[in-house]
Amino acid sequence: MNAVLTVLSPLDSRPALLQLAEALAVMLLPIAFAASIIGYRLFEVGAVVRRGLIFGVTAGVLAPAAYLAAASVDRAARGFSAMPLAVGGIAVLFLLGGVLFQPVARLVGGAVDRRFFPERLRLAELQRGIIPELAAYTALDRAGAHLTHRLQQALELERAVLLMADAQGQHLRPLAWAGELPPGARPAQRGVHAADLGGRPGAFSAAAPVPAGEPAVPARLGETLAALGAEVVVPIRLTDRLIGALLLGPPLHGGALERDALETLDAVATQASAMLENARLFALATRDPLTGLLRRHAAMERLDAEVERGRRTFHPFAVALADLDHFKAVNDTHGHAAGDAVLAEVAAAFAAHSRRTDLVARYGGEEFLFLLPDTPPDGARVHAEGIRAGVEALEVHVPGAAEPLPVTVSIGLCAVAAPEQLAEPEELVRRADEALYRAKHAGRNRVEPARVPPSA
């Protein structure tokens, strides 16, 4: 405005173009400073400056508009009564403007945030709702998947990965992720040491961007960040204990996360920590740590519920017991570490070949229990054969073995086709166990149906 007034002023005899060029040259300094703040995150106050500029311009428009409105009313009063509007009347108008200022400011602020800062609204909504949302999940993997999905959507990130600590709290491994991972990322094989995130004073005590190739970043953490395409680390702590971390990829629209977004992420991580820890403790109580499958007591509870459901409204279902063939020889020849690797691979194959409604549990040792709801005998037999064939096709590589270990499984199948065949859960498992015993003696690597009472 000063440049325009100088150009239009008749008191200055210099050419107007020269005066305008001088004013623009003076403006280069604040323009360059603003560009540095906004474009290169100088002082990390880009969002503050942008909001200040936007609200400053808005106030600059509204204030003259209010003045012009008062002047228009005064002019109208002069034309209507040939008398100027009293000073008291103008005061009343401005008093009314003051009363309306807060709702108008709230309305304008909401409109500005929706137009220019939508991520603020999404993060605020996430912060308000994350606790009840995560409280609805008892399975840790589903809670983690929900959290990463919500963060990826709220911040419009390329990807979000959740790492959770193991039972000893020494290593953090990927549990869930949202978005598209880089080619060849293989998150299941990635992880970091807890010491890399919180083992030294001040190390990642809060959400922080991690530039590529930063020398202060431990090598393993840097490799994981590079492999997963993440740029920001958000530690998840419960009191003073590190239980997990969020690795966030770059925003889809480019640039970087602002400081206020990082502060909100810290708040979200703090709120989510208790819910994630509850889900983790529930998982430790109900799931086998080696295979990730349900434990025996949790599986029997589910089977008991299925039997009770069948007594009220019958639906065919099946129970199966699977046992790895010659598993003792694997432990004796290659060691228990190789045996654990075989169990983990087989458990993954069982889960991959099962439907979402099926139950797969580690019954004990190398035995696994299956519950197939709403499955008639023929369908249960086909499903069990698919599981057996899937295990037979596995190639399990263990340290010290030149060739992949051959793995097969024998399955005893108890199909309940009619209400008359219902029995207590323990009895159904006993029938499946007898069928498994016959499968072993018939040559292994086969499915053997159980002998059940005939339907009426």
Side-chain angles (χ1 to χ4, degrees):
M1 291 177 64
N2 186 57
V4 173
L5 290 175
T6 303
V7 170
L8 298 179
S9 173
L11 300 178
D12 197 333
S13 60
R14 291 180 299 165
L17 187 60
L18 178 60
Q19 297 175 49
L20 184 59
E22 180 183 0
L24 291 176
V26 174
M27 291 174 62
L28 285 178
L29 179 61
I31 289 174
F33 192 66
S36 299
I37 290 175
I38 298 173
Y40 297 96
R41 306 187 67 209
L42 184 63
F43 307 132
E44 295 187 356
V45 293
V48 176
V49 172
R50 287 200 297 271
R51 286 175 64 84
L53 290 175
I54 292 170
F55 283 108
V57 171
T58 305
V61 172
L62 291 180
Y67 177 80
L68 290 175
S72 300
V73 171
D74 179 70
R75 185 174 300 165
R78 287 174 184 268
F80 180 75
S81 61
M83 295 178 58
L85 188 66
V87 175
I90 296 178
V92 170
L93 289 177
F94 275 95
L95 178 61
L96 290 175
V99 171
L100 295 174
F101 176 79
Q102 186 172 2
V104 170
R106 188 182 301 114
L107 180 64
V108 172
V112 168
D113 281 343
R114 285 191 296 273
R115 174 63 180 85
F116 297 99
F117 305 95
E119 70 279 358
R120 292 173 59 89
L121 298 178
R122 292 193 295 266
L123 276 176
E125 180 185 357
L126 176 62
Q127 189 175 358
R128 289 192 300 268
I130 193 62
I131 290 181
E133 289 177 12
L134 292 182
Y137 295 94
T138 55
L140 181 58
D141 54 347
R142 294 188 178 182
H146 180 80
L147 176 61
T148 54
H149 175 75
R150 291 284 274 116
L151 283 172
Q152 192 244 347
Q153 294 294 320
L155 293 169
E156 294 185 341
L157 302 172
E158 290 188 14
R159 62 195 61 89
V161 182
L162 172 65
L163 278 64
M164 288 299 294
D166 57 15
Q168 293 74 33
Q170 296 179 354
H171 296 85
L172 285 80
R173 302 193 181 281
L175 171 73
W177 51 88
E180 186 175 350
L181 295 178
R186 306 188 69 175
Q189 300 181 4
R190 294 291 174 181
V192 298
H193 294 289
D196 293 345
L197 291 173
R200 51 192 198 283
F204 297 102
S205 58
V210 183
E214 175 66 41
V217 178
R220 186 178 179 88
L221 174 58
E223 293 174 0
T224 298
L225 289 170
L228 299 179
E231 295 181 352
V232 172
V233 175
V234 185
I236 302 176
R237 286 187 170 85
L238 188 63
T239 61
D240 59 345
R241 183 165 55 91
L242 183 71
I243 65 170
L246 287 164
L247 307 183
L248 305 179
L252 290 169
H253 51 73
L257 295 178
E258 300 288 352
R259 184 168 64 180
D260 57 343
L262 296 178
E263 292 173 354
T264 305
L265 282 174
D266 280 328
V268 170
T270 300
Q271 291 175 309
S273 61
M275 299 297 102
L276 291 175
E277 180 67 1
N278 289 341
R280 189 180 74 89
L281 294 176
F282 183 80
L284 289 176
T286 59
R287 292 192 173 270
D288 175 59
L290 175 62
T291 62
L293 302 179
L294 284 175
R295 293 180 184 269
R296 176 174 178 169
H297 70 276
M300 293 304 292
E301 289 178 358
R302 286 278 303 275
L303 178 56
D304 182 69
E306 184 66 22
V307 171
E308 289 301 318
R309 186 172 78 106
R311 286 170 177 162
R312 293 193 305 270
T313 306
F314 181 78
H315 296 274
F317 67 94
V319 178
L321 269 182
D323 186 89
L324 298 186
D325 298 327
H326 306 296
F327 183 72
K328 185 176 183 301
V330 175
N331 282 332
D332 294 343
T333 305
H334 302 283
H336 288 279
D340 289 346
V342 170
L343 287 173
E345 290 282 348
V346 170
F350 286 158
H353 286 81
S354 297
R355 302 162 297 187
R356 292 181 63 87
T357 55
D358 295 342
L359 177 147
V360 189
R362 189 178 181 187
Y363 195 71
E366 65 270 25
E367 281 190 327
F368 297 85
L369 177 68
F370 293 82
L371 171 60
L372 311 177
D374 300 310
T375 307
D378 292 343
R381 180 64 181 262
V382 170
H383 190 72
E385 284 288 351
I387 292 173
R388 183 202 62 77
V391 172
E392 186 179 22
L394 284 177
E395 292 186 357
V396 182
H397 297 268
V398 298
E403 299 291 334
L405 295 183
V407 182
T408 60
V409 63
S410 300
I411 300 176
L413 180 64
C414 176
V416 181
E420 295 80 5
Q421 297 175 350
L422 282 171
E424 294 299 318
E426 293 76 9
E427 172 62 20
L428 297 178
V429 174
R430 187 192 65 79
R431 296 174 186 173
D433 193 34
E434 289 181 350
L436 173 62
Y437 181 80
R438 292 197 303 274
K440 290 284 188 180
H441 281 268
R444 295 183 172 86
N445 190 24
R446 58 184 291 130
V447 177
E448 188 71 25
R451 300 189 180 102
V452 295
S455 58

